[in-house]
Amino acid sequence: MKFFSFFLIKSTGLIAISCLLLGCAKDIDLSQREDITISPDLQVDLLIYNINESDFEDPNTGNLKTRISDTVRLEFLDDDYIQKDLFSVSFYFRHINTFPREIESEIRFLSESNAEQFSVNYTIKPGANGNPITTEQYELIEEDRINLVRRSIKMVVELEVQPGTSAFEGELDFASKGFFSFEF
């Protein structure tokens, strides 16, 4: 009798749990599987650097170069998921400047054949030693221009120091990020 009551309690409990689990499930319409989208976001550091006055010095003459540049390859832009599923990108560029002069920044995105796809241009505000000034710039690329990002593989950062009378001493910190949104 004890075995029977134990079996009855376990069976009743199992049936009750089964009814609850099965009763909570809605019908699944598999014809809607094409309508399901996943939209992950990815944050990527693009380029980070810290430069000072020696980076603007011509090694042959010792004179101030007013324009310097650097090119980096963004190999990940050539991946299949970027080419097929990239929906939008928000670029973020930040400079922290202690140089006492304005600096013009031109960031260009190039194709493999060096054709410019798009550029982001802005002025970096002058700072002072002990008084760094932060300049931030955002660029949003959405569906109507997303092919420009897909065709890009290189990022060129060019800096041009503006004329001034004060001594050219200081530092310039740069950080750039891309916030990539996908739709699968």
Side-chain angles (χ1 to χ4, degrees):
M1 193 60 129
K2 215 176 191 182
F3 176 74
F4 181 70
S5 68
F6 176 76
F7 179 73
L8 186 62
I9 292 172
K10 289 288 187 180
S11 298
T12 306
L14 185 61
I15 290 172
I17 291 173
S18 297
C19 288
L20 283 174
L21 291 177
L22 293 175
C24 293
K26 291 185 178 181
D27 290 338
I28 298 173
D29 184 1
L30 294 179
S31 67
Q32 293 180 338
R33 68 181 178 270
E34 295 298 321
D35 297 335
I36 297 172
T37 59
I38 299 173
S39 301
D41 294 329
L42 175 68
Q43 177 181 321
V44 177
D45 289 327
L46 301 175
L47 178 64
I48 299 171
Y49 63 75
N50 180 324
I51 57 177
N52 60 33
E53 61 272 2
S54 67
D55 294 297
F56 287 92
E57 189 176 295
D58 185 320
N60 298 327
T61 65
N63 294 332
L64 175 69
K65 293 189 297 186
T66 57
R67 180 179 281 272
I68 63 172
S69 69
D70 191 19
T71 303
V72 294
R73 288 187 62 83
L74 305 174
E75 297 291 344
F76 68 92
L77 291 178
D78 198 29
D79 288 343
D80 284 344
Y81 62 91
I82 295 277
Q83 295 300 314
K84 293 178 186 173
D85 303 311
L86 184 62
F87 184 72
S88 69
V89 181
S90 178
F91 291 105
Y92 169 72
F93 306 102
R94 185 197 73 213
H95 286 90
I96 300 173
N97 188 16
T98 61
F99 287 113
R101 298 188 197 173
E102 283 187 347
I103 300 173
E104 293 297 322
S105 173
E106 181 179 12
I107 301 172
R108 297 181 300 128
F109 289 81
L110 308 177
S111 68
E112 188 67 57
S113 63
N114 293 325
E116 184 175 308
Q117 301 303 303
F118 66 98
S119 68
V120 181
N121 305 318
Y122 55 94
T123 301
I124 302 166
K125 299 172 193 147
N129 217 352
N131 185 25
I133 301 296
T134 300
T135 301
E136 297 176 309
Q137 183 72 28
Y138 297 89
E139 181 75 15
L140 178 61
I141 308 287
E142 294 184 298
E143 275 185 281
D144 58 332
R145 296 177 33 205
I146 201 66
N147 281 332
L148 299 175
V149 176
R150 289 180 179 139
R151 289 191 304 253
S152 299
I153 194 73
K154 300 174 192 175
M155 183 174 80
V156 179
V157 178
E158 294 182 347
L159 301 171
E160 184 176 359
V161 177
Q162 300 304 297
T165 56
S166 55
F168 189 70
E169 295 176 351
E171 289 185 347
L172 183 66
D173 295 339
F174 176 69
S176 57
K177 295 181 183 289
F179 300 94
F180 295 83
S181 296
F182 299 91
E183 192 167 274
F184 297 104

